Amino acid sequence: RTGSSPLTFILTGIPGLSMSSYWMALPLCWLYLLMLLGNCTLLWMIKTDHSLHTPMYYFLSMLALADLGLSLSTLPTMLAVFWFKSTSFHFEACIVQMYFIHTFSAIESGVLVAMAFDRFIAICYPLRYASVLTSTLIMKAGAVIFMRGICVVLPVAVLIKKMPFCRSRVLSHSFCLHQDMLRLVCGDVKVNSLYGLTAVILTKGLDSLTILLSYTMIIRAILSIISKEARAKAFSTCISHLCAVLIFYIPLIGLSIIHRFGKHLPPLTHTLMADAYLLVPPVLNPLVYSWKTKQIRRRILVLLCQR
């Protein structure tokens, strides 16, 4: 890096696609609009409907906020690349975007753990649900999840800011990811790689194991219920959360595997997996909860009938 000219990265759209084409810009705009509409509607309904002022919906509102943050972190550069064909991105801005993307991803993972705990208490200890999941506990849990995301990801940004970049400055995506920036570093990246792996283990690694443990105990509790109807009803309360977990973790695991073992795969595969990881959960989560949650579905129908 020289002192005279600021370091910039070149963002990539869809490999092999002409940048003059608008066929990707329009769907992206619709996806972002759908994400904004869905998550903002969820937040508005939870805030205005007092029947939704329960722990489950408080956690759902946290999930919607994390989804909004994750999507809005990628929005400026994705629209700049696909709509305005502006591919140059300053180094400092790239680090800020990378930090927010990984922070909101860690926050979303933490919220999914909190929602798994909510389902665990509701099914395994239903009589203690109200006494365990108090408003104070929910606020503390939200603060811990938020602060964990901020603190765990911060060293990632600090470490990479000090690294020299002297190779090709072309990134693989239309936004900045830590793994993608790290491959352009001209120097020893052992500390960065080790801490990056540690951060993933401390967040998504532990979170996924906690969710798996929660559902192991939930399934045991459900199978101990004698009535088939009660068993089906208990399991149905978990479907929305299970869908949210799969929507979040499947693209994440796929992207991690491709980054680690898929270097021989075409660039298009890397791009599509990264886009799915960042765009699919924020778009689909409101749709899943609107479709599978009776209270939200009823509230939407009431609003539609009023119009």
Side-chain angles (χ1 to χ4, degrees), residues 29-42:
C29 285
W30 280 111
L31 278 176
Y32 276 112
L33 286 173
L34 186 61
M35 177 278 302
L36 286 168
L37 179 64
N39 286 290
C40 289
T41 301
L42 268 183

Side-chain angles (χ1 to χ4, degrees), residues 105-122:
S105 179
I107 289 171
E108 180 155 351
S109 180
V111 173
L112 289 172
V113 173
M115 297 175 87
F117 180 71
D118 169 80
R119 292 299 84 205
F120 166 70
I121 297 296

Side-chain angles (χ1 to χ4, degrees), residues 20-296:
S20 62
S21 175
Y22 283 99
W23 77 272
M24 270 302 296
L26 288 172
L28 274 175
C29 285
W30 280 111
L31 278 176
Y32 276 112
L33 286 173
L34 186 61
M35 177 278 302
L36 286 168
L37 179 64
N39 286 290
C40 289
T41 301
L42 268 183
L43 288 169
W44 179 78
M45 284 194 296
I46 293 169
K47 182 182 178 180
T48 57
D49 191 341
H50 290 283
S51 67
L52 301 181
H53 291 183
T54 62
M56 174 183 169
Y57 295 104
Y58 288 141
F59 288 130
L60 180 55
S61 65
M62 293 181 199
L63 185 67
L65 287 171
D67 280 336
L68 282 169
L70 191 60
S71 291
L72 293 176
S73 297
T74 63
L75 176 64
T77 52
M78 290 194 79
L79 292 186
V81 169
F82 290 108
W83 196 265
F84 300 105
K85 307 171 194 66
S86 175
T87 58
S88 181
F89 202 39
H90 288 294
F91 174 68
E92 287 77 14
C94 197
I95 287 182
V96 170
Q97 185 185 50
M98 178 209 72
Y99 174 74
F100 279 113
I101 287 173
H102 290 294
T103 296
F104 280 113
S105 179
I107 289 171
E108 180 155 351
S109 180
V111 173
L112 289 172
V113 173
M115 297 175 87
F117 180 71
D118 169 80
R119 292 299 84 205
F120 166 70
I121 297 296
I123 291 172
C124 298
Y125 303 99
L127 297 179
R128 297 174 58 189
Y129 183 78
S131 60
V132 171
L133 288 171
T134 61
S135 299
T136 304
L137 180 65
I138 293 167
M139 289 177 64
K140 286 181 180 178
V144 168
I145 291 166
F146 186 75
M147 290 306 299
R148 185 193 68 161
I150 290 174
C151 296
V152 170
V153 180
L154 186 59
V156 173
V158 172
L159 285 169
I160 203 165
K161 192 177 190 303
K162 297 178 180 179
M163 301 303 292
F165 290 84
C166 54
R167 298 179 190 170
S168 165
R169 296 173 185 175
V170 179
L171 295 173
S172 304
H173 310 293
S174 50
F175 40 80
C176 301
L177 292 177
H178 179 247
Q179 307 95 312
D180 201 18
M181 293 177 69
L182 208 57
R183 70 179 179 82
L184 304 181
V185 169
C186 183
D188 188 1
V189 296
K190 287 180 182 176
V191 174
N192 300 66
S193 297
L194 182 60
Y195 184 78
L197 180 62
T198 303
V200 171
I201 291 171
L202 289 175
T203 54
K204 290 146 194 173
L206 287 177
D207 292 349
S208 57
L209 288 175
T210 305
I211 291 170
L212 183 62
L213 179 62
S214 297
Y215 271 99
T216 301
M217 292 186 284
I218 286 170
I219 290 169
R220 285 180 59 188
I222 289 174
L223 292 176
S224 67
I225 300 173
I226 298 172
S227 168
K228 287 185 178 180
E229 292 180 3
R231 201 182 300 170
K233 186 177 179 180
F235 184 72
S236 68
T237 63
C238 301
I239 290 176
S240 297
H241 179 253
L242 276 172
C243 288
V245 169
L246 294 175
I247 288 167
F248 180 78
Y249 278 102
I250 288 176
L252 173 64
I253 293 168
L255 183 63
S256 300
I257 291 171
I258 284 175
H259 267 294
R260 183 70 60 182
F261 304 108
K263 292 180 174 62
H264 63 284
L265 294 173
L268 181 61
T269 308
H270 293 255
T271 301
L272 292 178
M273 283 304 300
D275 290 348
Y277 160 56
L278 293 175
L279 283 177
V280 169
V283 172
L284 290 188
N285 281 337
L287 298 177
V288 167
Y289 274 93
S290 300
W291 172 49
K292 294 301 298 179
T293 308
K294 190 182 295 182
Q295 292 93 325
I296 294 176

